[in-house]
């Protein structure tokens, strides 16, 4: 048995920059996707820790030195609302009928549901999982394969269904990341787990771990992400989310 954090789980995703699916899902044929896009979709993106992790590689004469730090932005930025809005805008740009849960539900209801999901994410990131022979990777479905049962979640999904929503696209990122990658470039990244819940059955119909990112030329200065009310951090998140192929979450390429 081994203990591993969510940061390590998503290492392969951030290195490749592409989404990965933990299980096979039948591909939706072209005739079905237009009907699917007409369904009402609620979107919920949350950042569990409300922190941005900084990673900087310092080139010394005879060695490389890695410097890490962490900045809390909880009192500076309503990240969940903005990240959800970025995802809604991206889905709409791809032809989906999407809305934010922050407009569809009462704030207290969203907060209660997100409290459950954030707590579950933290717990799942710190439990023991069996090793897989011949690999250092963990079976991802053990982390996020099911939709938890809890009164706050049941109330939220029932309310969304009553309002006419068919799907919930739920995105959970543990942290945000700023990485000084050399040549003055700074990589802004998040690594959400994305689940699509069919509100008619309350079952997860798609589950993916992915990374979205954007690169800026900031002279390698990670603190520039915080200037102008976290302007570059927010811009990087919005641009990266805009690059996600949300259609692929339903098994459509």
């Amino acid at each position: 048995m081994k203990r591993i954090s969510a940061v390590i789980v998503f290492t392969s995703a951030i290195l490749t920059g592409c989404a990965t699916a933990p299980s096979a899902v039948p591909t939706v044929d072209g005739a079905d996707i237009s009907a699917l896009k007409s369904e009402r979709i609620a979107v919920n993106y949350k950042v569990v820790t409300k922190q941005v992790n900084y990673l900087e590689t310092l080139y010394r004469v005879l060695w490389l030195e890695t410097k890490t730090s962490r900045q809390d932005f909880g009192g500076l930025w309503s990240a969940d609302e903005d990240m959800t809005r970025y995802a809604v805008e991206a889905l709409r740009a791809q032809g989906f009928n999407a809305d934010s849960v922050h407009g569809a539900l009462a704030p207290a209801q969203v907060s209660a549901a997100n409290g459950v999901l954030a707590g579950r994410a933290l717990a799942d990131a710190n439990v023991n999982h069996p090793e897989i022979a011949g690999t250092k990777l963990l079976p991802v479905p053990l982390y996020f394969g099911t939709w938890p049962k809890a009164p706050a979640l049941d109330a939220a999904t029932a309310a969304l269904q009553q309002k006419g929503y068919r799907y919930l696209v739920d995105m959970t990122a543990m942290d945000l990341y700023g990485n000084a990658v050399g040549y003055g470039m700074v990589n802004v990244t998040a690594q959400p787990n994305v689940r699509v819940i069919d509100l008619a059955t309350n079952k997860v119909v798609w589950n993916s771990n992915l990374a979205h990112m954007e690169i800026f030329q900031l002279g390698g200065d990670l603190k520039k992400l915080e200037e102008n009310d976290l302007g570059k951090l927010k811009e990087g998140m919005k641009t990266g989310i805009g690059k996600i192929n949300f259609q692929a979450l339903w098994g459509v390429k």
Side-chain angles (χ1 to χ4, degrees):
M1 304 289 285
K2 63 182 176 182
R3 187 177 296 274
I4 189 167
S5 71
V7 172
I8 299 176
V9 170
F10 298 120
T11 298
S12 62
I14 189 169
L15 289 176
T16 60
C18 60
T20 59
S23 59
V25 175
T27 299
V28 179
D29 64 43
D32 291 335
I33 189 60
S34 60
L36 188 151
K37 285 186 173 182
S38 69
E39 297 279 6
R40 295 187 69 194
I41 298 169
V43 184
N44 183 33
Y45 195 130
K46 75 202 70 65
V47 183
V48 175
T49 67
K50 303 300 185 289
Q51 293 178 332
V52 55
N53 295 318
Y54 293 137
L55 176 63
E56 182 179 7
T57 301
L58 305 175
Y59 295 87
R60 304 307 187 189
V61 176
L62 298 177
W63 70 91
L64 296 179
E65 179 182 332
T66 300
K67 179 181 178 181
T68 61
S69 60
R70 180 173 290 188
Q71 178 65 46
D72 190 307
F73 56 77
L76 303 173
W77 177 28
S78 299
D80 292 356
E81 290 89 336
D82 280 355
M83 297 283 274
T84 299
R85 177 167 52 83
Y86 302 156
V88 167
E89 291 173 359
L91 277 155
R92 288 179 178 177
Q94 295 175 36
F96 289 93
N97 184 13
D99 296 310
S100 169
V101 295
H102 295 278
L105 299 177
Q109 197 165 39
V110 176
S111 179
N114 280 347
V116 172
L117 294 170
R120 175 68 179 269
L122 286 169
D124 285 350
N126 290 284
V127 298
N128 288 320
H129 296 279
E131 297 187 25
I132 304 174
T135 180
K136 294 183 179 180
L137 299 178
L138 292 176
V140 175
L142 289 179
Y143 277 93
F144 301 106
T146 60
W147 185 241
K149 289 290 294 180
L153 291 181
D154 293 342
T157 53
L160 289 171
Q161 187 178 17
Q162 290 171 3
K163 290 176 179 289
Y165 291 97
R166 172 62 189 278
Y167 294 105
L168 169 64
V169 174
D170 184 77
M171 308 177 71
T172 302
M174 192 66 68
D175 311 281
L176 306 183
Y177 301 89
N179 185 9
V181 295
Y183 301 101
M185 295 184 295
V186 170
N187 187 355
V188 180
T189 310
Q191 304 164 27
N193 172 258
V194 184
R195 287 176 291 190
V196 178
I197 296 89
D198 186 341
L199 296 173
T201 61
N202 215 36
K203 292 184 178 181
V204 177
V205 296
W206 188 261
N207 176 38
S208 293
N209 303 312
L210 56 86
H212 57 78
M213 64 188 71
E214 176 67 354
I215 296 178
F216 298 110
Q217 183 60 248
L218 297 177
D221 186 354
L222 291 168
K223 285 299 182 178
K224 287 187 176 180
L225 296 174
E226 301 175 12
E227 295 178 354
N228 301 314
D229 191 30
L230 307 175
K232 281 298 182 183
L233 180 62
K234 296 175 182 178
E235 180 185 346
M237 289 297 116
K238 181 176 182 178
T239 303
I241 290 173
K243 297 176 183 177
I244 296 174
N245 177 13
F246 283 96
Q247 186 166 289
L249 298 180
W250 279 267
V252 183
K253 298 184 177 182

